[in-house]
Amino acid sequence: MSTPLPLLPGTLIDGRPATLGVLGGGQLGRMFVHAAQALGYETAVLDPDAASPAGRVSQHFIRADYRDGDALDRLAACAHAVTTEFENVPADSLASLSARRPVSPAADAVAIAQDRGAEKAHFARCAPASGVAPAPYAVITSEAELAAVPAALLPGILKTARLGYDGKGQARVATPAELATAWQAMGRVPCVLEQLLPLALECSVIVARGRDGQAVTLPVQRNLHRDGILAVTEVYEQNLPPALASQAQAATIDIANQLGYVGVLCVEYFVLQDGTLVVNEMAPRPHNSGHYSIDACDVSQFDLQVRALAGLPLVAPRQHSAAIMLNLLGDLWFDGQGAPRTPPWADVLALPGAHLHLYGKTEARRGRKMGHLTLTAPGADAARAVALRAAALLGIEAF
Ligand code: ATP
Ligand code: MG
């Protein structure tokens, strides 16, 4: 069942159309499927949810748990190469698939990104070369490590080592007593305590790296989070001081190189009030902050994921429009009284440069990512003006 690389789109392999597989059927998987199908591949999605956003648009859909050995066999039989759309896919499942098919990213890189302790240790290893360090931190897995936490880390943020996302699994703590209580409340699972830093802003960089080590990045994204969830991404010239942007791009390539990474990787950064760049975390997949690339760049993060997986050339993306992305959370599907509503799409789509992406989720819930809206324009001022108009129409707070 070996696959010849590059896996060329539109070809027949062992009598079947070239097919790309993805573990996970959420919105990231859906946009991967769209990119793969546009190039001429067939796609296969594995997800436990019968109504998954990606499963509903893929030619092949395997409804199963990510650990189901029989389902993984079926995926390997159907797809000629396999990627993942979320970092909590069991690393063992990726490893078992990679015995049969090209898999990117590799299980060991995903395993590092799954664990905040291992992730921070990797960043710390890269820091001498990249010049960008993580926040001061300590790993807490035992009573002894809890007692040994340096006072300088407080006030800090306690984060579970695994399975945190969108600010979940985090607690701000100011004193050793609060730290002990918070760790208790988290069930004494392995955690990382990070010093609370004075942030000026947040940004992220998406890199795609091929099997040959070639790496290309998207422009640096400037991100605004609300309640721990990405709310707005702004990408245009001078969205960040240029020296910082270059430093973040170089550090991201270094982090990918040092992992021997293949595929699309997103690294999130803080810019402190004194201008220092600090590396926060990474996602071994396309990222919410990169969605603008579908409409504002000639190659999107999902196109890059497809190319890296299939062993096709990676070309440096060129951003052709200034862009602002607004996340569309389920909250927008309720009016001020809490009654269900449909957001005013016709008004939004009347705006120039409005690109609406809905993920096909049937049930709107508060905080649930239902879609995103990218506003493109020739320059930053026009993009901001139209994005603020869209935000006002939708009831999203101005930024
Ligand atoms: P994601 O959904 O991006 O995976 P997450 O839940 O894994 O998020 P982080 O990105 O670590 O969590 O933190 C969420 C947000 O909390 C950050 O975007 C930032 O606004 C704030 N934050 C996290 N760590 C720190 C810190 N050390 N100092 C100050 N603010 C922080
Ligand atoms: Mg984050």
Side-chain angles (χ1 to χ4, degrees), residues 169-181:
Q170 300 196 2
R172 294 192 175 209
V173 291
T175 64
E178 282 179 24
L179 172 61
T181 308

Side-chain angles (χ1 to χ4, degrees), residues 111-189:
I112 290 174
Q114 281 174 350
D115 183 295
R116 273 188 206 278
E119 179 177 79
K120 291 216 188 291
H122 178 70
F123 293 153
R125 270 195 303 277
C126 293
S130 72
V132 183
Y137 74 99
V139 173
I140 299 176
T141 60
S142 67
E143 212 50 70
E145 283 171 339
L146 179 70
V149 161
L153 291 184
L154 296 171
I157 305 188
L158 184 69
K159 304 179 179 181
T160 57
R162 305 184 78 86
L163 299 175
Y165 70 99
D166 288 347
K168 295 182 174 66
Q170 300 196 2
R172 294 192 175 209
V173 291
T175 64
E178 282 179 24
L179 172 61
T181 308
W183 192 50
Q184 180 71 34
M186 287 178 184
R188 301 160 73 86
V189 295

Side-chain angles (χ1 to χ4, degrees), residues 355-371:
H355 308 269
L356 177 64
H357 298 258
L358 295 178
Y359 305 145
K361 298 181 184 179
T362 42
E363 193 199 344
R365 291 194 296 271
R366 293 192 187 277
R368 188 177 199 201
K369 291 174 181 170
M370 301 297 289

Side-chain angles (χ1 to χ4, degrees), residues 6-384:
L7 175 60
L8 296 177
T11 56
L12 292 178
I13 300 183
D14 301 331
R16 286 187 314 107
T19 302
L20 299 180
V22 57
L23 287 166
Q27 61 266 20
L28 298 174
R30 179 178 172 102
M31 290 182 269
F32 168 82
V33 163
H34 286 153
Q37 291 176 341
L39 262 189
Y41 292 103
E42 292 205 354
T43 59
V45 170
L46 190 154
D47 190 285
D49 176 5
S52 76
R56 292 165 56 172
V57 295
S58 176
Q59 283 100 343
H60 308 278
F61 175 52
I62 298 167
R63 182 189 178 188
D65 186 85
Y66 302 113
R67 293 180 195 278
D68 180 333
D70 177 55
L72 293 171
D73 287 345
R74 275 152 55 213
L75 182 64
C78 178
H80 298 104
V82 178
T83 188
T84 176
E85 64 120 35
F86 76 131
E87 60 262 49
N88 291 320
V89 61
D92 289 350
S93 300
L94 283 179
S96 91
L97 285 168
S98 65
R100 289 167 283 181
R101 294 293 193 188
V103 170
S104 72
D108 54 352
V110 173
I112 290 174
Q114 281 174 350
D115 183 295
R116 273 188 206 278
E119 179 177 79
K120 291 216 188 291
H122 178 70
F123 293 153
R125 270 195 303 277
C126 293
S130 72
V132 183
Y137 74 99
V139 173
I140 299 176
T141 60
S142 67
E143 212 50 70
E145 283 171 339
L146 179 70
V149 161
L153 291 184
L154 296 171
I157 305 188
L158 184 69
K159 304 179 179 181
T160 57
R162 305 184 78 86
L163 299 175
Y165 70 99
D166 288 347
K168 295 182 174 66
Q170 300 196 2
R172 294 192 175 209
V173 291
T175 64
E178 282 179 24
L179 172 61
T181 308
W183 192 50
Q184 180 71 34
M186 287 178 184
R188 301 160 73 86
V189 295
C191 282
V192 167
L193 175 71
E194 266 177 61
Q195 194 179 59
L196 182 67
L197 299 174
L199 310 190
L201 56 94
E202 299 188 55
C203 64
S204 57
V205 179
I206 288 161
V207 60
R209 189 171 180 278
R211 285 187 176 75
D212 59 358
Q214 189 209 353
V216 299
T217 63
L218 286 167
V220 178
Q221 294 104 210
R222 178 174 171 155
N223 301 325
L224 172 68
H225 295 84
R226 287 179 175 149
D227 300 326
I229 306 177
L230 182 67
V232 182
T233 294
E234 301 186 55
V235 197
Y236 39 73
E237 282 196 18
Q238 306 283 338
N239 62 348
L240 288 158
L244 264 182
S246 311
Q247 192 189 14
Q249 284 181 310
T252 304
I253 291 175
D254 200 55
I255 286 165
N257 283 342
Q258 300 295 322
L259 279 172
Y261 194 85
V262 178
V264 169
L265 175 77
C266 178
V267 183
E268 293 182 61
Y269 296 89
F270 301 141
V271 179
L272 306 189
Q273 283 163 16
D274 69 1
T276 311
L277 189 66
V278 170
V279 54
N280 174 31
E281 60 171 356
M282 61 184 170
R285 50 168 173 78
H287 193 258
N288 196 166
S289 63
H291 292 353
Y292 76 97
S293 61
I294 297 173
D295 300 301
C297 299
D298 58 0
V299 181
S300 77
Q301 62 170 347
F302 301 102
D303 297 330
L304 291 171
Q305 185 184 19
V306 169
R307 285 171 178 243
L309 177 62
L312 292 169
L314 299 177
V315 291
R318 183 179 65 83
Q319 185 178 3
H320 51 70
S321 299
I324 298 182
M325 185 222 58
L326 307 177
N327 252 349
L328 304 173
L329 301 182
D331 309 54
L332 304 182
W333 275 250
F334 298 94
D335 70 14
Q337 279 68 52
R341 66 157 195 169
T342 299
W345 300 135
D347 296 336
V348 167
L349 290 169
L351 297 172
H355 308 269
L356 177 64
H357 298 258
L358 295 178
Y359 305 145
K361 298 181 184 179
T362 42
E363 193 199 344
R365 291 194 296 271
R366 293 192 187 277
R368 188 177 199 201
K369 291 174 181 170
M370 301 297 289
H372 70 270
L373 179 73
T374 301
L375 294 310
T376 56
D381 291 345
R384 279 194 63 85

